[in-house]
Amino acid sequence: MRVWAFIAMIFAGAAMAEPVQMIERFDAGANERWRYIGDNVMGGVSSGTAQVTPEGMHLSGSVSTDNNGGFIQVRRDFPDGLAADASALVLKVRGNGERYTVFLRTRQALLPWHNYKATFVAGAAWSEVRLELSAFERSSRVLRQKLDPSDVKSIGLAAYGADYEADVWVGEVRVE
């Protein structure tokens, strides 16, 4: 009887474990999945690059708020959304100690600036950053108050909103 109780405990623990959905490990095909976008599409003067290497995605450049600009970004589309039961976005990052922003766009986003956002600081050593989906702030009342993960159509990682030198690496992106 004790053996069956032990086996039941193991299966119960496995059932309670949080599901993980790997979004990106930045393999050789990542260059096709992620695209670089700079504020020059709107007349801004920021400049940057995004490269995929065996270490991950490297976003670097100069962010300038001149001429109503202020961002460089990499973005990946998710036509089928994220897992409906997702509760957090987890990034493995390192950088130059600056603040970076994750933008989630949903099917309800009517205009380019409609999104949900959360920020993090990328320190010099590799670390995991956990961004609870419930903590993402909506940019407009047009968007639902609560973010629905299955409605997410893209994830963007940006150096945003201030004049600074961006230098951030992302080694992994997943949802839990």
Side-chain angles (χ1 to χ4, degrees), residues 83-144:
D85 61 349
S87 62
L89 188 65
V90 181
L91 309 170
K92 179 182 169 188
V93 300
R94 71 178 169 94
N96 60 349
E98 294 287 354
R99 182 167 301 280
Y100 296 93
T101 304
V102 174
F103 291 103
L104 301 178
R105 289 188 43 81
T106 63
R107 290 177 177 79
Q108 291 74 39
L110 302 174
L111 299 169
W113 51 87
H114 287 172
N115 57 63
Y116 295 85
K117 72 177 180 178
T119 62
F120 66 92
V121 173
W126 283 108
S127 65
E128 279 196 354
V129 174
R130 181 180 178 87
L131 303 170
E132 298 295 330
L133 296 182
S134 60
F136 276 72
E137 298 175 6
R138 65 182 176 160
S139 65
S140 169
R141 291 179 185 244
V142 170
L143 301 174
R144 293 181 183 155

Side-chain angles (χ1 to χ4, degrees), residues 4-164:
W4 288 112
F6 178 72
I7 291 171
M9 281 181 13
I10 291 173
F11 282 114
M16 292 182 346
E18 222 169 290
V20 173
Q21 178 187 4
M22 183 58 62
I23 293 177
E24 189 67 73
R25 285 200 175 127
F26 297 103
D27 60 19
N31 280 323
E32 288 82 44
R33 293 186 294 271
W34 292 83
R35 67 185 186 281
Y36 171 83
I37 304 165
D39 61 16
N40 54 352
V41 298
M42 308 173 348
V45 296
S46 299
S47 63
T49 62
Q51 294 179 306
V52 175
T53 74
E55 281 191 89
M57 169 86 63
H58 183 213
L59 176 65
S60 62
S62 295
V63 181
S64 172
T65 56
D66 290 346
N67 207 30
N68 295 317
F71 74 89
I72 59 173
Q73 178 180 173
V74 287
R75 186 183 299 165
R76 179 176 171 185
D77 294 330
F78 291 91
D80 298 326
L82 302 178
D85 61 349
S87 62
L89 188 65
V90 181
L91 309 170
K92 179 182 169 188
V93 300
R94 71 178 169 94
N96 60 349
E98 294 287 354
R99 182 167 301 280
Y100 296 93
T101 304
V102 174
F103 291 103
L104 301 178
R105 289 188 43 81
T106 63
R107 290 177 177 79
Q108 291 74 39
L110 302 174
L111 299 169
W113 51 87
H114 287 172
N115 57 63
Y116 295 85
K117 72 177 180 178
T119 62
F120 66 92
V121 173
W126 283 108
S127 65
E128 279 196 354
V129 174
R130 181 180 178 87
L131 303 170
E132 298 295 330
L133 296 182
S134 60
F136 276 72
E137 298 175 6
R138 65 182 176 160
S139 65
S140 169
R141 291 179 185 244
V142 170
L143 301 174
R144 293 181 183 155
Q145 203 165 6
K146 184 180 177 195
L147 172 64
D148 180 348
S150 63
D151 281 341
V152 171
K153 67 179 188 178
S154 71
I155 294 176
L157 170 69
Y160 170 76
D163 296 314
Y164 68 99

